[in-house]
Amino acid sequence: MTDRLTYAELAALMEKRAGLTVDPLQLELRSTAPFADFGLDSLGLLGIVGELENRYGTPMPPDAERCKTPKQFLDQVNGALMTAGA
């Protein structure tokens, strides 16, 4: 298991938790675009946060569910995973 969440994994989670099909490359290339541009709302993001907490057995930062862009979300989540693994 990786200690860093990738754009590909985020895209897979968006499909699993919110039913959205997003090209991981587009997610990465447009990483500063709002989640809304990809069709993800706050409820979908909350589901992704819950999935990650279950997967890694560690709480995600409280700000993770309020992130507005994929880059901001991955920065928050990966920072928490690095701290948890330290």
Side-chain angles (χ1 to χ4, degrees):
M1 187 179 312
T2 181
D3 284 344
R4 288 189 63 78
L5 189 68
T6 65
Y7 285 99
E9 291 168 316
L10 178 55
L13 285 167
M14 289 171 72
E15 184 168 6
K16 179 179 179 182
R17 300 301 299 184
L20 300 170
T21 302
V22 179
D23 180 347
L25 182 59
Q26 284 302 310
L27 200 59
E28 187 169 1
L29 290 174
R30 299 179 55 222
S31 65
T32 58
F35 274 123
D37 285 6
F38 299 100
L40 187 68
D41 62 14
S42 58
L43 189 57
L45 191 57
L46 187 59
I48 291 170
V49 169
E51 176 82 15
L52 292 172
E53 288 177 340
N54 290 337
R55 178 185 296 181
Y56 293 106
T58 187
M60 292 295 113
D63 290 340
E65 65 194 52
R66 292 190 286 277
C67 289
K68 300 296 183 200
T69 69
K71 181 182 183 331
Q72 185 183 27
F73 183 76
L74 288 179
D75 288 348
Q76 286 273 337
V77 168
N78 287 329
L81 292 176
M82 286 175 48
T83 300

